[in-house]
Amino acid sequence: MNELHSEPYAELHCWLSGQHPGLRTFKILQHKLALLAVDHPEQRAMCRLLNGIVNSYVEEFDEAPLPTATADRAYQRLLRSLAEIDCAAEPARQLGNLNRLAGLVLSQ
């Protein structure tokens, strides 16, 4: 197995931690996830899953008011999720991460 450290997600986490929790940040994150998937093809599944989660959130609030409390909760959930990704983990743990993320809804 090609071992990849959590560095790409740590970089995303670092970037995200310095951003405002508004929709623009989430839209930029989608672009960053697309680039990450290209640069690290072995991480495509995780990137696509995260992108889908972020996309659902963006679509829900695009053109609609985004309550501050909802934005803050979504932002914190996403930060926690990025911090928990370990690309160097054994396959069973990585699958567990994918399954956990599959249940993540940012707007709750």
Side-chain angles (χ1 to χ4, degrees):
M1 179 178 143
N2 182 11
E3 195 171 276
L4 176 70
H5 301 290
S6 299
E7 188 175 308
Y9 296 105
E11 289 174 15
L12 278 180
H13 182 272
C14 183
W15 171 82
L16 185 62
S17 67
Q19 302 302 308
H20 183 273
L23 281 183
R24 183 173 184 272
T25 296
F26 287 83
K27 290 176 182 180
I28 294 169
L29 179 62
Q30 287 181 291
H31 177 71
K32 290 181 172 288
L33 286 166
L35 293 175
L36 180 64
V38 169
D39 292 342
H40 299 280
E42 66 280 3
Q43 292 299 311
R44 275 191 204 133
M46 187 74 74
C47 291
R48 287 191 128 214
L49 184 56
L50 283 166
N51 191 42
I53 292 164
V54 171
N55 190 56
S56 293
Y57 176 74
V58 167
E59 284 183 355
E60 183 175 348
F61 292 102
D62 204 20
E63 308 277 334
L66 176 58
T68 302
T70 301
D72 290 340
R73 275 193 310 273
Y75 178 77
Q76 291 304 320
R77 281 187 182 128
L78 191 55
L79 275 174
R80 271 193 311 276
S81 295
L82 286 175
E84 293 172 357
I85 296 173
D86 182 2
C87 301
E90 66 279 355
R93 185 164 174 213
Q94 287 187 31
L95 181 58
N97 282 335
L98 287 169
N99 285 327
R100 179 184 48 76
L101 282 173
L104 180 65
V105 178
L106 295 176
S107 61
Q108 291 182 340

